[in-house]
Amino acid sequence: MTDTAGTTDRTGAADGVGSGSGGAVGTAEVRRAVEAYWAAADARNWDAFAATLADDVVYDLPQSRERIRGKERYVAFNRDYPGDWHVRIERIVADGEGLQAAARTLVTDGPDRMHAIHFFTFDAQGLITAVTDFWPESYEPPAGREHLVERY
């Protein structure tokens, strides 16, 4: 994947979006599909969320070694997920063929803030066929490199 398609800033506005080449679905369409997926999830609009997914979507959580197969089960997993979480897209990177994208999000649930990285695969109609999520936990860096880094 390359970042030539531009990025999505913290407000969700896209810059430098181009059209894909070589695939039935282009880079801009893939980026819009990822944006629609997260907008529907954040709004708890499960019909719109389901509309972004292929019937045989596969969802993987490598850190917990969980897999969900199928649109109905994946929608239920998200619908039933506890908490009052909200999602903000920080960045989307899509391949030039319109088949893959990666997104970095900030998820908030009350005072809790979590960054996550999501990998998407698409079919020729622009539906999501696979999602792999990574939810890394924050940690304090080791001592001795303070003179080299900037903390944020």
Side-chain angles (χ1 to χ4, degrees):
M1 278 192 237
T2 63
D3 196 13
T4 58
T7 61
T8 301
D9 70 16
R10 296 180 190 277
T11 65
D15 68 22
V17 176
S19 61
S21 60
V25 177
T27 301
E29 291 82 8
V30 165
R31 291 170 54 82
R32 281 193 292 272
V34 171
E35 290 167 346
Y37 169 96
W38 283 119
D42 190 64
R44 310 306 194 268
N45 182 339
W46 303 120
D47 290 335
F49 183 79
T52 68
L53 305 172
D55 290 340
D56 59 349
V57 66
V58 176
Y59 176 64
D60 282 325
L61 281 160
Q63 291 162 299
S64 61
R65 297 180 316 279
E66 295 175 285
R67 176 172 290 147
I68 299 171
R69 293 181 187 275
K71 182 192 299 192
E72 186 176 317
R73 292 172 65 95
Y74 184 47
V75 171
F77 174 83
N78 282 279
R79 183 186 59 235
D80 299 344
Y81 202 87
D84 185 28
W85 50 268
H86 294 279
V87 179
R88 184 178 75 201
I89 298 170
E90 293 186 331
R91 183 181 186 107
I92 297 172
V93 180
D95 73 352
E97 297 170 357
L99 298 175
Q100 298 182 60
R104 178 179 176 192
T105 59
L106 174 64
V107 179
T108 58
D109 188 355
D112 296 328
R113 297 167 44 95
M114 299 158 279
H115 281 99
I117 300 173
H118 319 274
F119 295 92
F120 298 89
T121 304
F122 296 85
D123 64 15
Q125 290 73 45
L127 296 175
I128 297 168
T129 60
V131 181
T132 302
D133 278 357
F134 291 93
W135 296 85
E137 293 194 24
S138 298
Y139 61 91
E140 289 301 312
R145 58 186 186 194
E146 299 83 7
H147 66 288
L148 300 172
V149 301
E150 175 183 323
R151 297 292 306 272
Y152 61 93

